Amino acid sequence: MSCEHLICARCSNPVVEGRCATCREARSELHRHGPSVPPALVLAGLVALLFAALVLQRVYG
């Protein structure tokens, strides 16, 4: 969904222009993207955690 064709109920201007606080809030909510951490970094962290768990299991197990 995009805000190109949306009209703000508060100021009656296109939301894409962001003329009032309501427009700017709606525009930022529509353009909010997924998490800021890349999925590859999350996967690398999980692999590192698994490796550390396996090493600790070998040492103390």
Side-chain angles (χ1 to χ4, degrees):
M1 182 177 191
S2 70
C3 57
E4 293 178 3
H5 297 85
L6 295 178
I7 302 296
C8 178
R10 183 173 183 201
C11 67
S12 300
N13 289 308
V15 171
V16 73
E17 292 177 5
R19 292 188 183 183
C20 71
T22 305
C23 291
R24 289 188 293 273
E25 179 65 30
R27 185 177 60 188
S28 70
E29 187 175 315
L30 285 172
H31 291 270
R32 193 170 294 146
H33 298 289
S36 59
V37 179
L41 185 59
V42 172
L43 182 62
L46 289 174
V47 168
L49 186 61
L50 177 65
F51 180 73
L54 290 173
V55 167
L56 288 174
Q57 184 181 15
R58 278 279 198 181
V59 171
Y60 293 111

